Amino acid sequence: MSKLEEHMEGIINVFHQYSVRTGDFDTLSKGELRQLLLKELANTIKNTRDKETVDKIFNGLDANRDQQVDFIEFTTLVASVLKTAHENIHQE
């Protein structure tokens, strides 16, 4: 497996690690997303402990307004974080 394929599998595994807490492997509840943000992106996203920040991120990701973040919606967060990290690397 290539390095990129390993990283993609890692993203999928992280999503599943947090999505299984309420029994649905394909979606994250707001609480599950909060835990993921706290443990996996605390150094990247500011104020992950702040309820307003989590609410804003969750509402921005929940495109179909079903009160769940599915994997496709989650990839929006991953893409946004990657874009910002890429921009920051070029500013160094």
Side-chain angles (χ1 to χ4, degrees):
M1 192 178 321
S2 74
K3 191 170 191 172
L4 180 57
E5 290 167 329
E6 288 176 9
H7 291 297
M8 289 188 305
E9 184 176 339
I11 291 168
I12 293 166
N13 289 339
V14 167
F15 178 83
H16 284 149
Q17 177 183 342
Y18 290 90
S19 67
V20 298
R21 295 171 187 219
T22 58
D24 188 347
F25 290 101
D26 293 323
T27 62
L28 295 168
S29 66
K30 189 181 291 186
E32 291 168 333
L33 179 67
R34 181 178 187 278
Q35 289 302 309
L36 186 150
L37 294 172
L38 282 169
K39 294 184 179 175
E40 305 294 338
L41 293 171
N43 296 319
T44 306
I45 298 175
K46 295 180 179 168
N47 303 321
T48 56
R49 296 190 182 282
D50 179 48
K51 184 183 181 319
E52 279 187 37
T53 299
V54 174
D55 287 348
K56 183 177 178 182
I57 292 170
F58 184 85
N59 291 332
L61 295 175
D62 185 17
N64 62 1
R65 303 291 179 236
D66 66 352
Q67 298 303 303
Q68 299 288 320
V69 171
D70 64 28
F71 186 75
I72 299 302
E73 292 167 333
F74 173 71
T75 61
T76 303
L77 173 65
V78 173
S80 178
V81 169
L82 280 170
K83 179 182 181 284
T84 300
H86 181 252
E87 290 168 355
N88 290 342
I89 287 170
H90 285 291
Q91 291 178 1
E92 293 176 357

